[in-house]
Amino acid sequence: MMKKQMKRLAGCFLALVLILGLTACGGQKLDQNPGQAKAPAPGVEVTQQTKDPAQKDPAQKDFDVDTTKDSEQDFSKYEEQQVPVSDGSQSGKDKFATDPVPEGQQMPVEPEDVEVDKQQAFTCYVTISCATILNNMDRLEEGKEILVPSDGVLFARQPVTFYAGESVFDVLKRITTDNRIHMESRFTPAYNSAYICGIGNLYEFDCGPESGWMYCVNGWYPNYGVSRYVLQDQDEVQFNYTCDLGRDLGGSWQGA
């Protein structure tokens, strides 16, 4: 009997402690959702609120490149400046880095602008020579002595038929092909022309650092490439090897 009374007293005591604890905490309930924002109490001003990263601000707009204005900055100074083609009457180089053509000499043309007319045939005279090497055999690349003729002439002056609109390069290709003479060239976009690398297996730099092939028309060494010189009837054409940037030929290193 005594044990039952003791158990009842202990139960009443625990209940009393629990009631006193709830009263001390103000009767607040435990927050069952700690991550959820609580509504502010009436009359209390909210000074700071944590935003949900996934929630967008209605005032913030996505960047749309199609709706932005064009920049007002002037970029024209960075654009490539095309120098007009010289007509020989003004100073400065043309867009293919050609110096002004001397008065009385033939102006260059662009190969893509010329049409060949095989109904009109003309004659020019062509010579290919490496005679300057004879005075510089000590500078010639070893093993190439056998390639140099005793008189230095690889192709003696001969009349050659060409057609209206053909260039010096067109004729050179025909001569070397028909006569089984080695010839190697490459196209140089900066000059809009072919460049002669070697004839008869004699190449640029084979006879010193200032050696290579040059072409001459009617005694003038043009300052533009062989593909840009359109032949005229009775032209005298020479391909000469230089060992001194053309100074040993009475010209200068230019368009070959």
Side-chain angles (χ1 to χ4, degrees), residues 29-229:
K29 294 182 181 180
L30 295 176
D31 190 355
Q32 301 297 323
N33 298 298
Q36 183 175 357
K38 300 181 179 65
V44 177
E45 182 180 358
V46 178
T47 58
Q48 184 174 359
Q49 183 176 357
T50 303
K51 295 183 179 179
D52 183 353
Q55 184 178 2
K56 291 185 178 180
D57 184 351
Q60 181 178 359
K61 296 182 180 179
D62 292 334
F63 176 75
D64 185 355
V65 70
D66 294 331
T67 61
T68 58
K69 294 182 179 180
D70 292 335
S71 172
E72 297 180 356
Q73 185 173 354
D74 182 12
F75 290 99
S76 61
K77 63 181 179 180
Y78 299 110
E79 296 175 358
E80 182 178 357
Q81 300 295 322
Q82 293 292 338
V83 180
V85 177
S86 172
D87 60 2
S89 61
Q90 57 185 11
S91 61
K93 298 181 179 182
D94 69 9
K95 61 182 178 181
F96 295 116
T98 305
D99 287 316
V101 175
E103 185 177 355
Q105 299 296 349
Q106 183 165 307
M107 297 298 300
V109 299
E110 309 316 326
E112 62 272 17
D113 296 335
V114 180
E115 293 185 6
V116 175
D117 183 3
K118 291 192 174 182
Q119 300 301 315
Q120 299 185 60
F122 301 102
T123 300
C124 66
Y125 300 87
V126 182
T127 305
I128 303 176
S129 172
C130 62
T132 56
I133 296 179
L134 297 174
N135 297 324
N136 296 277
M137 294 297 287
D138 57 324
R139 302 169 60 188
L140 185 63
E141 184 176 337
E142 185 177 356
K144 291 204 169 187
E145 298 85 355
I146 193 174
L147 300 175
V148 182
S150 59
D151 60 357
V153 178
L154 297 175
F155 183 82
R157 181 180 182 274
Q158 293 183 28
V160 178
T161 299
F162 70 94
Y163 303 102
E166 286 193 315
S167 68
V168 172
F169 184 59
D170 292 326
V171 168
L172 177 64
K173 288 191 295 183
R174 182 176 302 123
I175 289 174
T176 53
T177 299
D178 293 347
N179 292 273
R180 302 179 64 84
I181 299 173
H182 159 269
M183 190 275 288
E184 185 175 337
S185 65
R186 66 172 180 266
F187 181 75
T188 306
Y191 298 100
N192 198 34
S193 176
Y195 174 79
I196 308 305
C197 302
I199 302 176
N201 286 298
L202 295 169
Y203 284 82
E204 57 181 345
F205 312 134
D206 275 354
C207 199
E210 299 182 337
S211 63
W213 287 96
M214 299 178 63
Y215 79 103
C216 173
V217 182
N218 301 326
W220 175 55
Y221 285 91
N223 56 347
Y224 51 87
V226 289
S227 299
R228 300 176 67 196
Y229 196 109

